[in-house]
CSV table of all heavy atoms in Angstrom, one decimal:
chain,number,residue,atom,x,y,z
P,213,PHE,N,-85.8,-50.1,27.3
P,213,PHE,CA,-86.1,-48.7,27.6
P,213,PHE,C,-87.5,-48.3,27.1
P,213,PHE,O,-87.7,-48.4,25.9
P,213,PHE,CB,-85.0,-47.7,27.0
P,213,PHE,CG,-83.8,-47.6,27.9
P,213,PHE,CD1,-83.1,-48.8,28.2
P,213,PHE,CD2,-83.4,-46.4,28.3
P,213,PHE,CE1,-81.9,-48.7,29.0
P,213,PHE,CE2,-82.2,-46.3,29.1
P,213,PHE,CZ,-81.5,-47.4,29.5
P,216,PRO,N,-87.7,-42.3,26.4
P,216,PRO,CA,-86.6,-41.9,25.5
P,216,PRO,C,-85.3,-41.8,26.3
P,216,PRO,O,-85.3,-41.5,27.5
P,216,PRO,CB,-87.0,-40.5,25.0
P,216,PRO,CG,-88.5,-40.5,25.2
P,216,PRO,CD,-88.8,-41.3,26.4
P,217,SER,N,-84.2,-42.1,25.7
P,217,SER,CA,-82.8,-41.9,26.3
P,217,SER,C,-81.8,-41.9,25.2
P,217,SER,O,-81.9,-42.6,24.2
P,217,SER,CB,-82.5,-43.2,27.2
P,217,SER,OG,-81.2,-43.1,27.6
P,218,THR,N,-80.8,-41.0,25.4
P,218,THR,CA,-79.6,-41.0,24.6
P,218,THR,C,-78.4,-41.5,25.4
P,218,THR,O,-77.8,-42.5,25.1
P,218,THR,CB,-79.3,-39.6,24.0
P,218,THR,OG1,-80.4,-39.2,23.2
P,218,THR,CG2,-78.0,-39.6,23.2
P,219,ARG,N,-78.1,-40.8,26.5
P,219,ARG,CA,-76.9,-41.0,27.3
P,219,ARG,C,-76.9,-42.4,28.0
P,219,ARG,O,-76.0,-43.2,27.9
P,219,ARG,CB,-76.7,-39.9,28.3
P,219,ARG,CG,-76.2,-38.7,27.8
P,219,ARG,CD,-76.7,-37.5,28.6
P,219,ARG,NE,-78.1,-37.2,28.1
P,219,ARG,CZ,-78.3,-36.4,27.1
P,219,ARG,NH1,-77.4,-35.6,26.6
P,219,ARG,NH2,-79.6,-36.3,26.6
P,220,THR,N,-78.0,-42.6,28.7
P,220,THR,CA,-78.0,-43.8,29.6
P,220,THR,C,-78.0,-45.1,28.7
P,220,THR,O,-77.2,-46.0,29.0
P,220,THR,CB,-79.3,-43.8,30.5
P,220,THR,OG1,-79.4,-42.5,31.1
P,220,THR,CG2,-79.2,-44.9,31.5
P,221,ARG,N,-78.8,-45.1,27.7
P,221,ARG,CA,-78.9,-46.4,26.9
P,221,ARG,C,-77.6,-46.6,26.1
P,221,ARG,O,-77.1,-47.7,26.1
P,221,ARG,CB,-80.1,-46.3,25.9
P,221,ARG,CG,-80.4,-47.6,25.3
P,221,ARG,CD,-81.7,-47.5,24.6
P,221,ARG,NE,-81.5,-47.6,23.1
P,221,ARG,CZ,-82.4,-47.9,22.3
P,221,ARG,NH1,-83.7,-48.1,22.6
P,221,ARG,NH2,-82.1,-48.0,21.0
P,269,ARG,N,-85.5,-48.9,31.9
P,269,ARG,CA,-86.1,-47.5,32.1
P,269,ARG,C,-87.6,-47.6,31.9
P,269,ARG,O,-88.0,-48.0,30.9
P,269,ARG,CB,-85.4,-46.5,31.2
P,269,ARG,CG,-86.1,-45.1,31.3
P,269,ARG,CD,-85.4,-44.0,30.5
P,269,ARG,NE,-84.1,-43.6,31.2
P,269,ARG,CZ,-83.4,-42.6,30.9
P,269,ARG,NH1,-83.8,-41.8,29.8
P,269,ARG,NH2,-82.3,-42.3,31.5
P,292,GLY,N,-82.3,-48.0,34.8
P,292,GLY,CA,-81.7,-47.0,34.0
P,292,GLY,C,-82.6,-45.7,34.1
P,292,GLY,O,-82.6,-44.8,33.2
P,299,HIS,N,-82.6,-42.7,39.7
P,299,HIS,CA,-81.7,-42.9,38.6
P,299,HIS,C,-80.3,-43.2,39.2
P,299,HIS,O,-79.4,-42.3,39.2
P,299,HIS,CB,-81.8,-41.7,37.7
P,299,HIS,CG,-81.2,-41.8,36.3
P,299,HIS,ND1,-80.4,-42.9,35.9
P,299,HIS,CD2,-81.3,-41.0,35.3
P,299,HIS,CE1,-80.1,-42.7,34.6
P,299,HIS,NE2,-80.6,-41.6,34.2
P,302,GLN,N,-77.0,-42.4,37.4
P,302,GLN,CA,-76.8,-41.0,37.2
P,302,GLN,C,-76.2,-40.4,38.5
P,302,GLN,O,-75.3,-39.6,38.5
P,302,GLN,CB,-78.1,-40.3,36.8
P,302,GLN,CG,-78.0,-38.8,36.6
P,302,GLN,CD,-77.3,-38.4,35.3
P,302,GLN,OE1,-77.5,-39.0,34.3
P,302,GLN,NE2,-76.4,-37.4,35.4
P,332,ARG,N,-85.9,-37.6,38.9
P,332,ARG,CA,-85.2,-38.8,39.5
P,332,ARG,C,-83.7,-38.5,39.7
P,332,ARG,O,-83.1,-39.1,40.6
P,332,ARG,CB,-85.4,-40.0,38.6
P,332,ARG,CG,-85.0,-39.9,37.2
P,332,ARG,CD,-85.5,-41.0,36.4
P,332,ARG,NE,-85.4,-40.9,34.9
P,332,ARG,CZ,-86.2,-41.3,34.0
P,332,ARG,NH1,-87.3,-42.0,34.4
P,332,ARG,NH2,-86.0,-41.2,32.7
P,333,VAL,N,-83.2,-37.7,38.8
P,333,VAL,CA,-81.8,-37.3,38.9
P,333,VAL,C,-81.5,-36.6,40.2
P,333,VAL,O,-80.5,-36.9,40.9
P,333,VAL,CB,-81.4,-36.4,37.7
P,333,VAL,CG1,-79.9,-35.8,37.9
P,333,VAL,CG2,-81.5,-37.1,36.4
P,427,PRO,N,-77.5,-33.1,33.9
P,427,PRO,CA,-77.5,-34.5,33.4
P,427,PRO,C,-77.8,-34.7,32.0
P,427,PRO,O,-77.6,-35.8,31.4
P,427,PRO,CB,-78.7,-35.1,34.3
P,427,PRO,CG,-79.6,-34.0,34.5
P,427,PRO,CD,-78.7,-32.8,34.7
P,428,GLY,N,-78.4,-33.7,31.3
P,428,GLY,CA,-78.8,-33.8,29.9
P,428,GLY,C,-80.1,-34.6,29.9
P,428,GLY,O,-80.4,-35.3,30.8
P,429,PRO,N,-80.9,-34.4,28.9
P,429,PRO,CA,-80.7,-33.4,27.8
P,429,PRO,C,-81.0,-32.0,28.3
P,429,PRO,O,-81.9,-31.8,29.1
P,429,PRO,CB,-81.8,-33.8,26.8
P,429,PRO,CG,-82.9,-34.5,27.5
P,429,PRO,CD,-82.2,-35.2,28.7
P,459,ARG,N,-71.1,-47.1,34.6
P,459,ARG,CA,-71.9,-48.3,34.2
P,459,ARG,C,-71.0,-49.5,34.0
P,459,ARG,O,-71.5,-50.6,34.3
P,459,ARG,CB,-72.8,-47.9,32.9
P,459,ARG,CG,-73.9,-47.0,33.4
P,459,ARG,CD,-74.5,-46.1,32.5
P,459,ARG,NE,-75.4,-45.2,33.2
P,459,ARG,CZ,-75.6,-43.9,32.9
P,459,ARG,NH1,-75.0,-43.3,31.9
P,459,ARG,NH2,-76.5,-43.2,33.6
F,557,LIG,N1,-79.2,-38.1,31.9
F,557,LIG,C1,-80.0,-39.0,31.3
F,557,LIG,O1,-80.6,-39.9,31.9
F,557,LIG,O2,-80.0,-38.8,29.9
F,557,LIG,P1,-80.8,-39.7,28.9
F,557,LIG,O3,-82.3,-39.5,29.2
F,557,LIG,O4,-80.4,-39.2,27.5
F,557,LIG,O5,-80.4,-41.1,29.1
Side-chain angles (χ1 to χ4, degrees):
F213 278 57
S217 171
T218 296
R219 282 147 283 268
T220 311
R221 194 169 110 165
R269 172 172 286 191
H299 195 348
Q302 180 74 43
R332 55 191 172 214
V333 171
R459 284 150 189 148

